[in-house]
Amino acid sequence: MTQKILITGGAGFIGSAVIRHLIAETDAAVVNVDKLTYAANLDSLKPVADNPRYAFEKADICDGAAMAHLLEKHRPTAIMHLAAESHVDRSIDGPGAFIMTNVVGTYALLDASVAYWRSLDEAGRARFRFHHISTDEVFGSLGETGFFTETTPYDPSSPYSSSKASSDHLVRAWHRTYGLPVVLSNCSNNYGPCQFPEKLIPLMILNALEGRPLPVYGQGTNVRDWLYVEDHARALWEVLSKGAPGESYNVGGNNEMKNIEVVQMICDILDDVVDPLPGGPRRGLITHVKDRPGHDQRYAIDASKIRRDLGWEPRETFDTGLRRTVDWYLDNRDWWQPLRDGVYAGGRLGLAV
C-alpha cells in the first residue's frame, strides 16, 4: 500500500524540502496543510505543484474541526507535524503566537489524530505514525564540551524553545496515555534553499550581496550545529518510515560553527563569486550589535542513534552546503526579492523592549 502523508507546515522552509524529497524520491502521496503565515511560500513547491501525488489544503492546525475534516477527507497513513512558529527573535517580541500555534495547535492536531487513528482498522492503526518534528533548542545551552542526546533533560531558554518543549511533552503524553503511535525528532539549525530571510544565513547572504551591514549578536561566539535542509528531509523520512513508536531521534549535521565564522565564510564566498563592493571585502560589513536576551551559548547534537538505528548520515559538509545555499540565493532572486520588498526588509527583531 502506498503511503499517504499529511504534512503540516508544508509551505515552510523544512516542510517544503520534505515534500520535494518525498515527491522526487518516494512513491508517497502528500497532502500539504498550511495556514500560509508570513514565512510560508508556495513558490517553494513549484517543482511539485502539478504532480498528481501532491495536494494542498489551506487550514490552521489550531482549528480542530478543520483538522478532523481533512484527516477524514484524505485518510492519511501518517502525519508529519512541521507547522510551527520558529523564529526566536519573533518569540521574544510576541510569544502569544508561539503558544497558540506550537502548543495549542499541536494539542488540536493530536486530539483530531487520536480520533482518526481509532477509526482505522487494526492494520491501519498498526501502520499509522504521528511524526513530531522539533528542535535541539528544547535542551537549552551547552558549555564548551558535551552533546545533546535523546535523554538530555529539557531546559528551554526562549518563548520559542519553551513552546516546542511543551509540544514535545504533549506528543509523548498522547503516546503514553492514549497509545497514539508517535515518533519524534529534534534537529539542529537548518539552512539551505527557500529559507525565509529573517534567519541568520539567508539574511547575511542577502545583506552581504547588497552591501548592507551584517549584524552579529554580541561577539558572535555562540556556537550552532548546522544541518543542510535536504539532509534533514532525508532523515525525517527515515524516522517516519523506520523509527520505532515512542522513540525520539536527534538529527545533526556534525558542523559546529561560531556565528561569526559563518558570517565570515558567507562574505568570502560572495567575494569569490560576485562583483566586489566599492568599499572592499565584505567582511568589512560585519557589525557587532547588542546580544539578544537569553541567547544560548552552544548547541551540539549527538546523532549516533539515528546513524546506528536508521542508517542515516548527512551528505553535505558545511563548506559544500553553504556554497550550494549561496548559489541558490544568487540564482533565485525572484523567490526572495518580493519577501525583502514587502514582507521583511531585514530589520532587527527580538529586542525585548
Side-chain angles (χ1 to χ4, degrees), residues 11 19 44 56 80 89 95 125 145 152 162 176 191 201 240 267 296 324 339 342 353:
I19 292 175
S44 304
F56 171 68
M80 299 180 77
D89 288 357
R125 288 195 299 274
T145 61
T152 297
S162 297
R176 294 171 185 170
Y191 69 103
I201 286 179
L240 179 72
C267 291
D296 289 334
R324 287 186 65 183
L339 303 179
V353 293

Side-chain angles (χ1 to χ4, degrees), residues 305-351:
K305 179 178 178 179
I306 191 173
R307 184 183 306 114
R308 179 185 68 247
D309 293 0
L310 306 183
W312 173 86
E313 293 266 10
R315 293 174 181 168
E316 299 292 339
T317 66
F318 190 64
D319 286 339
T320 62
L322 188 61
R323 283 192 173 269
R324 287 186 65 183
T325 302
V326 171
D327 287 344
W328 187 88
Y329 281 92
L330 291 177
D331 293 341
N332 290 274
R333 178 180 286 270
D334 59 337
W335 185 92
W336 57 261
Q337 190 67 61
L339 303 179
R340 295 276 279 190
D341 292 342
V343 182
Y344 174 68
R348 176 75 191 266
L349 301 168
L351 291 171

Side-chain angles (χ1 to χ4, degrees), residues 13 29 33 37 41 57 119 126 128 133 178 181 200 204 221 239 247 249 279 284 313 344-345:
F13 169 47
V33 177
T37 61
N41 193 336
E57 299 275 6
S119 75
F128 184 82
I133 291 86
Y178 303 109
L200 177 68
M204 294 299 125
T221 58
V239 172
E247 292 293 319
Y249 300 86
E313 293 266 10
Y344 174 68

Side-chain angles (χ1 to χ4, degrees), residues 79-145:
I79 294 170
M80 299 180 77
H81 178 33
L82 292 111
E85 295 285 346
S86 67
H87 191 42
V88 174
D89 288 357
R90 287 183 187 268
S91 80
I92 294 169
D93 291 338
F98 289 72
I99 302 305
M100 286 302 299
T101 297
N102 300 354
V103 183
V104 177
T106 298
Y107 157 70
L109 184 62
L110 284 166
D111 192 48
S113 298
V114 166
Y116 168 72
W117 171 68
R118 287 173 172 168
S119 75
L120 301 175
D121 60 23
E122 184 176 353
R125 288 195 299 274
R127 188 183 191 201
F128 184 82
R129 294 291 183 273
F130 183 106
H131 181 186
H132 178 62
I133 291 86
S134 190
T135 171
D136 59 357
E137 297 192 35
V138 299
F139 301 123
S141 184
L142 288 167
E144 294 183 1
T145 61

